Amino acid sequence: MEREFVFTQVDFERIRSLIRDRVGISLSEKKRDLVYSRIARRLRVLQLKQFSEYLDFLLVNDHEIQDFINALTTNLTAFFRESHHFDHLATHMLKQVSSSKQTFRIWSSACSTGEEAYSIAMTAIETFGTWTPPVTILATDVDTNVLTQAKAGVYGSERVEKLSDERMRHFFFKGKGKRQGSVRIRPEVQALIQFKPFNLLADPWPIKGQLDAVFCRNVMIYFDKPTQYKILSRFHPLLRDRGLLYAGHSESFQHAADLFKSQGQTIFKPVSGLLKQGVHK
Ligand SMILES: C[S@@+](CC[C@H](N)C(=O)[O-])C[C@H]1O[C@@H](n2cnc3c(N)ncnc32)[C@H](O)[C@@H]1O
């Protein structure tokens, strides 16, 4: 089939290596068509004629790099996705806060459009029975487009159709008039979360330690094992001794058994006794 833009194997290889170096995403040969359709949109916006032109443009236009990254990330997510994690989190935070009397600190480290972080915030509000639970949530993603959506907290009604009526009434405003068909998360829920751009491949990490829970779900699958290990070795010193790492349903981390021990249900606890400083070096 004739394509709108010239896209050679060399172009594909250049894109693969650029996205792997920048954000860790490993694209298999099978992703050629996906890459074509995602990046073709950038060529249209920039009125370029072929992929090689776009790649040369990327080399000298730093500002385009973010759009390139945004185009190639996969942002599939949902409210209360893998819902057993939120049931587990509720018990974990109640136990930790009653014994330590400290604020429970959570990081949603690849938060996409925000549903994961908002589900954590709703869980905290329900668990402690207050709009101001003793919980802070940092939510980050490398994709700046999804973060803009996350901060806005506005979703199409189809995104919330699996939520209970009670949660809908409690946590969302329904759009009226021009906004019919969309919902907005209540500001009290938003107030618990700080959304920020962050690349898990960054060096160093500006995140302070003493975290009680890290959600790193459905992102490691895009990385190769050495990259996963490097990131896990950075999570390790940030977690409190009783802290937990929540991973995606297909993420197992057997290759990092020296760092994290499975608790079942893709929940991991840090192996204790490791030198907390510089474990990733
Ligand atoms: C499939 S979504 C998962 C969202 C959510 N954690 C969940 O499980 O529903 C994966 C997210 O990881 C983000 N991502 C990919 N590479 C990243 C990196 N190097 N640093 C931070 N986020 C990254 C993508 O932008 C995307 O929003």
Side-chain angles (χ1 to χ4, degrees):
M1 197 178 69
E2 183 88 3
R3 279 184 149 156
E4 186 183 355
F5 303 106
V6 179
F7 180 46
T8 65
Q9 186 61 23
V10 173
D11 300 331
F12 180 52
E13 294 304 340
R14 282 176 76 186
I15 291 174
R16 271 171 110 178
S17 89
L18 199 56
I19 195 72
R20 193 180 42 242
D21 292 351
R22 291 286 176 147
V23 294
I25 296 176
S26 285
L27 292 168
S28 73
E29 186 61 40
K30 287 191 215 132
K31 301 287 182 196
R32 238 188 101 113
D33 288 345
L34 178 125
V35 166
Y36 178 87
S37 67
R38 300 265 190 99
I39 299 296
R41 290 180 212 148
R42 295 304 308 152
L43 270 77
R44 276 180 215 115
V45 170
L46 298 164
Q47 301 189 327
L48 299 174
K49 299 222 160 31
Q50 45 192 27
F51 272 63
S52 59
E53 244 184 289
Y54 177 71
L55 285 156
D56 294 341
F57 177 83
L58 256 185
L59 285 181
V60 288
N61 288 280
D62 269 359
H63 61 85
E64 178 59 23
I65 281 286
Q66 187 63 56
D67 287 310
F68 170 75
I69 293 170
N70 292 356
L72 290 176
T73 56
T74 297
N75 311 113
L76 183 77
T77 188
F79 285 103
F80 292 94
R81 181 182 194 184
E82 297 167 41
S83 63
H84 56 276
H85 281 168
F86 300 92
D87 300 337
H88 189 280
L89 177 72
T91 315
H92 178 46
M93 56 190 168
L94 202 55
K95 205 159 127 196
Q96 280 300 102
V97 171
S98 7
S99 66
S100 73
K101 311 279 179 251
Q102 284 175 316
T103 301
F104 190 92
R105 299 181 64 217
I106 311 168
W107 180 19
S108 164
S109 65
C111 68
S112 186
T113 37
E115 288 88 332
E116 181 176 275
Y118 288 126
S119 304
I120 294 171
M122 290 187 250
T123 303
I125 292 165
E126 287 172 347
T127 304
F128 293 96
T130 165
W131 289 107
T132 54
V135 168
T136 63
I137 304 161
L138 171 67
T140 60
D141 200 285
V142 73
D143 180 334
T144 51
N145 285 344
V146 291
L147 281 176
T148 304
Q149 290 178 52
K151 278 185 206 162
V154 176
Y155 298 93
S157 320
E158 72 289 349
R159 305 286 289 270
V160 291
E161 64 192 10
K162 291 201 179 122
L163 291 183
S164 67
D165 289 349
E166 197 188 341
R167 277 187 174 150
M168 284 308 301
R169 264 198 314 276
H170 206 187
F171 295 120
F172 292 88
F173 297 123
K174 277 201 177 146
K176 296 204 178 89
K178 267 204 299 195
R179 299 205 171 82
Q180 186 105 30
S182 68
V183 296
R184 186 144 72 85
I185 196 98
R186 284 185 74 114
E188 294 89 336
V189 187
Q190 285 180 304
L192 296 177
I193 309 168
Q194 253 198 311
F195 287 105
K196 287 194 171 163
F198 182 68
N199 182 353
L200 288 163
L201 244 62
D203 197 2
W205 280 16
I207 316 279
K208 289 196 207 92
Q210 301 292 299
L211 296 172
D212 296 283
V214 170
F215 276 63
C216 184
R217 308 189 313 160
N218 306 303
V219 59
M220 292 288 216
I221 37 165
Y222 299 104
F223 304 153
D224 61 20
K225 294 260 186 288
T227 307
Q228 290 184 5
Y229 188 88
K230 191 165 181 198
I231 292 169
L232 289 169
S233 70
R234 298 209 139 161
F235 284 140
H236 187 282
L238 294 181
L239 280 161
R240 285 191 169 127
D241 287 343
R242 291 207 177 79
L244 292 173
L245 171 69
Y246 293 84
H249 57 281
S250 58
E251 295 161 330
S252 71
F253 309 146
Q254 272 148 10
H255 58 293
D258 57 328
L259 297 173
F260 283 95
K261 192 170 161 25
S262 171
Q263 304 289 283
Q265 297 191 308
T266 53
I267 302 168
F268 297 83
K269 80 171 199 192
V271 171
S272 52
L274 283 184
L275 212 55
K276 285 272 173 182
Q277 291 293 319
V279 68
H280 57 274
K281 300 237 167 82

